[in-house]
Amino acid sequence: MSTRKKIVAGNWKMNKTFSEGTALAEEITGKLEAGDVTVILGTPYIHLQAVGAIIKDHPNLFLAAQNCHQAAGGAYTGEISPAMLQSLGVQYVILGHSERRKYFGETDASVSEKVSIALAHDLLPIVCVGEELSVREAGKHEALVGEQIENALFDLSPEDFGKIVIAYEPVWAIGTGLTASPDQAQEMHGFIRNTLAAKYGDEIAQATTILYGGSCKPANAQSLFSQPDVDGGLIGGASLKADDFIAITNSY
Ligand code: PGA
Protein backbone atom coordinates (compact mmCIF):
# COMPACT_ATOMS: atom_id res chain seq x y z
CA MET A 1 0.00 0.00 0.00
CA SER A 2 1.52 3.32 -0.97
CA THR A 3 2.03 6.07 1.56
CA ARG A 4 1.15 8.76 -0.96
CA LYS A 5 -1.42 11.31 0.04
CA LYS A 6 -4.84 10.24 -1.28
CA ILE A 7 -6.86 13.13 -2.58
CA VAL A 8 -10.37 13.60 -3.89
CA ALA A 9 -10.76 17.16 -5.17
CA GLY A 10 -14.01 18.66 -6.37
CA ASN A 11 -13.85 21.20 -9.17
CA TRP A 12 -17.10 23.11 -9.09
CA LYS A 13 -16.14 25.09 -12.21
CA MET A 14 -18.56 28.00 -12.90
CA ASN A 15 -21.46 26.40 -11.04
CA LYS A 16 -23.49 27.28 -7.94
CA THR A 17 -24.72 30.67 -6.81
CA PHE A 18 -23.35 31.83 -3.49
CA SER A 19 -26.21 30.39 -1.45
CA GLU A 20 -26.20 27.12 -3.42
CA GLY A 21 -22.44 26.81 -2.91
CA THR A 22 -22.53 27.40 0.83
CA ALA A 23 -25.42 24.93 1.15
CA LEU A 24 -23.38 22.29 -0.73
CA ALA A 25 -20.34 22.92 1.47
CA GLU A 26 -22.48 22.59 4.59
CA GLU A 27 -23.98 19.33 3.38
CA ILE A 28 -20.57 17.86 2.55
CA THR A 29 -19.10 19.01 5.87
CA GLY A 30 -22.00 17.45 7.76
CA LYS A 31 -21.94 14.13 5.93
CA LEU A 32 -18.23 13.49 5.31
CA GLU A 33 -16.78 11.17 7.90
CA ALA A 34 -13.24 11.72 9.14
CA GLY A 35 -10.79 9.42 7.38
CA ASP A 36 -7.45 9.29 5.63
CA VAL A 37 -8.49 10.92 2.36
CA THR A 38 -7.73 14.59 1.81
CA VAL A 39 -10.93 16.08 0.40
CA ILE A 40 -10.64 19.39 -1.40
CA LEU A 41 -13.40 21.75 -2.51
CA GLY A 42 -12.40 23.78 -5.55
CA THR A 43 -14.97 26.55 -5.52
CA PRO A 44 -15.46 29.74 -7.52
CA TYR A 45 -13.46 32.64 -6.06
CA ILE A 46 -16.48 34.33 -4.52
CA HIS A 47 -17.31 31.26 -2.44
CA LEU A 48 -13.84 30.69 -1.00
CA GLN A 49 -14.08 32.74 2.16
CA ALA A 50 -17.50 31.44 3.21
CA VAL A 51 -16.73 27.82 2.31
CA GLY A 52 -13.42 28.09 4.17
CA ALA A 53 -15.32 29.11 7.31
CA ILE A 54 -17.81 26.23 6.89
CA ILE A 55 -15.18 23.49 6.50
CA LYS A 56 -12.53 24.80 8.90
CA ASP A 57 -13.16 22.37 11.76
CA HIS A 58 -13.39 19.25 9.58
CA PRO A 59 -10.07 17.38 9.73
CA ASN A 60 -10.18 16.19 6.10
CA LEU A 61 -11.60 19.17 4.22
CA PHE A 62 -9.45 21.72 2.42
CA LEU A 63 -10.03 24.60 0.03
CA ALA A 64 -8.83 25.17 -3.54
CA ALA A 65 -9.14 28.00 -6.02
CA GLN A 66 -9.59 27.02 -9.67
CA ASN A 67 -6.96 29.41 -11.01
CA CYS A 68 -4.81 32.39 -10.05
CA HIS A 69 -2.93 35.07 -11.94
CA GLN A 70 0.81 34.81 -12.50
CA ALA A 71 1.62 38.36 -11.40
CA ALA A 72 2.04 39.35 -7.79
CA GLY A 73 -0.44 42.19 -8.19
CA GLY A 74 -1.17 45.31 -10.20
CA ALA A 75 -3.28 46.47 -13.12
CA TYR A 76 -4.91 43.19 -14.21
CA THR A 77 -8.61 43.96 -14.15
CA GLY A 78 -10.74 41.04 -13.06
CA GLU A 79 -7.87 38.81 -11.94
CA ILE A 80 -7.01 37.27 -8.56
CA SER A 81 -3.46 36.99 -7.20
CA PRO A 82 -1.92 34.18 -5.16
CA ALA A 83 -1.41 36.61 -2.28
CA MET A 84 -5.17 37.24 -2.21
CA LEU A 85 -5.85 33.51 -2.05
CA GLN A 86 -3.23 33.06 0.65
CA SER A 87 -4.84 35.85 2.66
CA LEU A 88 -8.09 33.84 2.78
CA GLY A 89 -6.32 30.69 3.98
CA VAL A 90 -6.76 28.83 0.70
CA GLN A 91 -4.46 25.78 0.65
CA TYR A 92 -4.55 24.50 -2.95
CA VAL A 93 -4.89 25.98 -6.43
CA ILE A 94 -5.90 24.09 -9.59
CA LEU A 95 -3.67 25.23 -12.46
CA GLY A 96 -3.64 24.50 -16.19
CA HIS A 97 -7.09 22.90 -16.37
CA SER A 98 -7.91 22.00 -19.97
CA GLU A 99 -10.81 24.46 -19.96
CA ARG A 100 -8.37 27.25 -19.01
CA ARG A 101 -6.06 26.10 -21.80
CA LYS A 102 -8.90 25.92 -24.33
CA TYR A 103 -10.98 29.01 -23.54
CA PHE A 104 -8.52 31.35 -21.84
CA GLY A 105 -5.30 30.87 -23.77
CA GLU A 106 -3.41 29.20 -20.95
CA THR A 107 -0.15 27.59 -22.07
CA ASP A 108 2.51 25.42 -20.45
CA ALA A 109 4.54 28.64 -20.07
CA SER A 110 1.79 30.48 -18.18
CA VAL A 111 1.14 27.38 -16.07
CA SER A 112 4.83 27.29 -15.18
CA GLU A 113 4.73 30.94 -14.08
CA LYS A 114 1.58 30.34 -12.04
CA VAL A 115 3.07 27.28 -10.34
CA SER A 116 6.10 29.28 -9.22
CA ILE A 117 4.17 32.20 -7.80
CA ALA A 118 1.61 29.93 -6.18
CA LEU A 119 4.37 28.05 -4.36
CA ALA A 120 5.91 31.35 -3.29
CA HIS A 121 2.60 32.09 -1.54
CA ASP A 122 2.34 28.69 0.16
CA LEU A 123 -0.39 27.44 -2.19
CA LEU A 124 -0.11 23.80 -3.25
CA PRO A 125 -0.65 23.50 -7.03
CA ILE A 126 -2.83 20.79 -8.55
CA VAL A 127 -1.46 20.86 -12.09
CA CYS A 128 -3.68 19.45 -14.83
CA VAL A 129 -2.36 17.70 -17.92
CA GLY A 130 -4.04 15.57 -20.56
CA GLU A 131 -4.53 15.01 -24.26
CA GLU A 132 -7.32 15.74 -26.74
CA LEU A 133 -8.94 12.77 -28.50
CA SER A 134 -7.11 13.48 -31.78
CA VAL A 135 -3.78 13.27 -29.98
CA ARG A 136 -4.68 9.92 -28.44
CA GLU A 137 -5.89 8.61 -31.79
CA ALA A 138 -2.56 9.61 -33.30
CA GLY A 139 -0.77 7.65 -30.54
CA LYS A 140 0.93 10.80 -29.27
CA HIS A 141 -0.69 11.07 -25.80
CA GLU A 142 2.39 10.06 -23.84
CA ALA A 143 4.60 12.46 -25.79
CA LEU A 144 2.18 15.34 -25.26
CA VAL A 145 1.60 14.74 -21.55
CA GLY A 146 5.34 14.30 -21.03
CA GLU A 147 5.91 17.64 -22.73
CA GLN A 148 3.21 19.40 -20.68
CA ILE A 149 4.82 18.15 -17.46
CA GLU A 150 8.35 19.00 -18.55
CA ASN A 151 7.41 22.51 -19.72
CA ALA A 152 5.26 23.40 -16.73
CA LEU A 153 7.16 21.75 -13.87
CA PHE A 154 10.71 20.64 -14.61
CA ASP A 155 12.32 23.95 -13.74
CA LEU A 156 11.28 23.39 -10.11
CA SER A 157 13.78 22.39 -7.45
CA PRO A 158 13.22 18.88 -6.04
CA GLU A 159 11.99 20.48 -2.83
CA ASP A 160 9.37 22.55 -4.63
CA PHE A 161 8.41 19.70 -6.93
CA GLY A 162 7.62 17.67 -3.82
CA LYS A 163 4.66 20.01 -3.17
CA ILE A 164 3.00 19.42 -6.55
CA VAL A 165 -0.10 17.31 -7.16
CA ILE A 166 -0.60 16.22 -10.77
CA ALA A 167 -4.04 15.59 -12.27
CA TYR A 168 -4.15 13.51 -15.44
CA GLU A 169 -7.34 14.48 -17.22
CA PRO A 170 -7.82 13.17 -20.75
CA VAL A 171 -9.71 16.02 -22.41
CA TRP A 172 -11.96 13.56 -24.24
CA ALA A 173 -13.22 12.27 -20.89
CA ILE A 174 -14.02 15.63 -19.24
CA GLY A 175 -17.72 16.25 -18.92
CA THR A 176 -18.45 13.78 -21.73
CA GLY A 177 -19.45 10.70 -19.75
CA LEU A 178 -16.56 8.87 -21.45
CA THR A 179 -14.20 7.72 -18.72
CA ALA A 180 -10.73 6.37 -19.33
CA SER A 181 -10.76 2.67 -18.53
CA PRO A 182 -8.86 1.71 -15.37
CA ASP A 183 -6.16 0.21 -17.63
CA GLN A 184 -5.88 3.38 -19.70
CA ALA A 185 -5.65 5.49 -16.55
CA GLN A 186 -3.03 3.21 -14.98
CA GLU A 187 -0.98 3.20 -18.18
CA MET A 188 -0.82 7.00 -18.22
CA HIS A 189 -0.27 7.35 -14.48
CA GLY A 190 2.57 4.83 -14.68
CA PHE A 191 4.04 6.76 -17.59
CA ILE A 192 3.79 10.02 -15.65
CA ARG A 193 5.44 8.48 -12.58
CA ASN A 194 8.30 7.14 -14.73
CA THR A 195 8.71 10.58 -16.29
CA LEU A 196 8.98 12.10 -12.82
CA ALA A 197 11.44 9.41 -11.70
CA ALA A 198 13.71 10.10 -14.67
CA LYS A 199 13.89 13.78 -13.69
CA TYR A 200 13.64 13.82 -9.87
CA GLY A 201 14.49 10.24 -8.87
CA ASP A 202 12.41 7.38 -7.54
CA GLU A 203 11.79 8.69 -4.07
CA ILE A 204 10.11 11.90 -5.21
CA ALA A 205 8.24 10.15 -8.03
CA GLN A 206 6.87 7.55 -5.63
CA ALA A 207 5.75 10.26 -3.21
CA THR A 208 3.88 12.36 -5.82
CA THR A 209 0.09 12.19 -5.76
CA ILE A 210 -1.31 11.71 -9.28
CA LEU A 211 -5.07 12.19 -9.64
CA TYR A 212 -7.33 10.98 -12.43
CA GLY A 213 -10.01 13.32 -13.79
CA GLY A 214 -12.67 12.95 -16.45
CA SER A 215 -16.23 11.71 -15.82
CA CYS A 216 -15.21 10.10 -12.54
CA LYS A 217 -18.36 9.15 -10.61
CA PRO A 218 -19.47 6.80 -7.83
CA ALA A 219 -19.94 3.92 -10.29
CA ASN A 220 -16.38 3.98 -11.63
CA ALA A 221 -14.30 5.60 -8.88
CA GLN A 222 -13.41 2.37 -7.11
CA SER A 223 -12.07 0.64 -10.21
CA LEU A 224 -9.99 3.72 -11.06
CA PHE A 225 -8.67 4.32 -7.53
CA SER A 226 -7.67 0.67 -7.13
CA GLN A 227 -5.02 1.09 -9.82
CA PRO A 228 -1.55 1.22 -8.28
CA ASP A 229 -0.59 4.63 -9.63
CA VAL A 230 -3.98 6.35 -9.31
CA ASP A 231 -4.00 8.29 -6.05
CA GLY A 232 -7.46 9.80 -6.22
CA GLY A 233 -9.52 12.01 -8.47
CA LEU A 234 -10.31 15.49 -9.68
CA ILE A 235 -14.07 15.50 -9.91
CA GLY A 236 -16.18 17.95 -11.93
CA GLY A 237 -19.86 17.16 -12.45
CA ALA A 238 -20.11 14.61 -9.65
CA SER A 239 -18.68 17.10 -7.12
CA LEU A 240 -21.83 19.21 -7.38
CA LYS A 241 -23.97 16.70 -5.49
CA ALA A 242 -22.91 16.01 -1.91
CA ASP A 243 -23.95 12.34 -1.90
CA ASP A 244 -22.15 11.52 -5.16
CA PHE A 245 -19.04 13.37 -4.09
CA ILE A 246 -18.95 11.67 -0.71
CA ALA A 247 -19.52 8.28 -2.34
CA ILE A 248 -16.45 8.95 -4.47
CA THR A 249 -14.38 9.87 -1.41
CA ASN A 250 -15.49 6.56 0.12
CA SER A 251 -14.34 4.59 -2.92
CA TYR A 252 -10.92 3.68 -1.58
P1 PGA B 1 -15.88 15.94 -15.01
O1 PGA B 1 -14.75 17.10 -14.91
O2 PGA B 1 -15.73 15.10 -13.79
O3 PGA B 1 -17.16 16.68 -15.08
O4 PGA B 1 -15.58 15.18 -16.27
C1 PGA B 1 -13.47 16.82 -14.42
C2 PGA B 1 -12.64 18.07 -14.47
O5 PGA B 1 -12.75 18.83 -15.44
O6 PGA B 1 -11.83 18.34 -13.55
Side-chain angles (χ1 to χ4, degrees):
M1 193 69 185
S2 97
T3 54
R4 288 188 286 275
K5 194 192 263 192
K6 300 172 186 170
I7 294 178
V8 174
N11 175 10
W12 292 5
K13 307 190 181 184
M14 196 172 76
N15 292 296
K16 302 288 177 191
T17 63
F18 184 73
S19 59
E20 290 166 351
T22 53
L24 176 60
E26 270 162 14
E27 193 180 351
I28 291 169
T29 306
K31 289 182 172 173
L32 182 73
E33 287 175 23
D36 62 355
V37 180
T38 295
V39 181
I40 300 171
L41 305 185
T43 81
Y45 289 131
I46 66 149
H47 300 61
L48 286 168
Q49 184 175 18
V51 171
I54 292 166
I55 67 176
K56 77 175 186 326
D57 293 327
H58 196 295
N60 301 108
L61 278 169
F62 298 88
L63 201 53
Q66 299 172 15
N67 181 33
C68 67
H69 196 266
Q70 60 268 47
Y76 299 97
T77 300
E79 292 294 322
I80 299 286
S81 74
M84 294 173 188
L85 298 176
Q86 183 186 33
S87 72
L88 287 186
V90 175
Q91 295 99 356
Y92 290 87
V93 59
I94 299 168
L95 293 174
H97 191 279
S98 64
E99 287 147 19
R100 303 261 357 137
R101 295 178 191 254
K102 183 170 174 194
Y103 303 125
F104 303 100
E106 203 127 317
T107 61
D108 291 344
S110 64
V111 176
S112 168
E113 288 178 342
K114 289 178 181 200
V115 165
S116 297
I117 190 158
L119 288 169
H121 290 86
D122 295 326
L123 297 164
L124 301 173
I126 300 172
V127 178
C128 303
V129 296
E131 80 285 355
E132 305 265 354
L133 186 57
S134 58
V135 173
R136 178 162 281 264
E137 285 173 345
K140 301 211 165 106
H141 42 295
E142 289 191 352
L144 180 99
V145 167
E147 215 171 88
Q148 289 175 327
I149 290 175
E150 183 178 337
N151 293 341
L153 297 173
F154 279 6
D155 58 349
L156 294 175
S157 67
E159 193 198 341
D160 275 345
F161 186 83
K163 300 170 188 159
I164 301 293
V165 174
I166 292 179
Y168 169 62
E169 299 203 302
V171 179
W172 47 271
I174 295 177
T176 58
L178 287 176
T179 316
S181 69
D183 286 348
Q184 284 174 320
Q186 171 55 30
E187 193 182 3
M188 283 308 284
H189 284 226
F191 165 76
I192 291 169
R193 205 173 301 287
N194 288 339
T195 304
L196 305 184
K199 168 74 179 173
Y200 289 105
D202 254 352
E203 200 178 320
I204 288 181
Q206 287 302 330
T208 303
T209 293
I210 306 176
L211 308 179
Y212 169 80
S215 298
C216 188
K217 42 189 178 265
N220 59 27
Q222 195 163 15
S223 59
L224 289 161
F225 297 173
S226 63
Q227 298 300 312
D229 287 297
V230 177
D231 307 313
L234 182 55
I235 320 297
S239 74
L240 299 173
K241 287 196 187 124
D243 290 339
D244 284 356
F245 187 58
I246 288 171
I248 292 172
T249 71
N250 290 334
S251 293
Y252 276 107

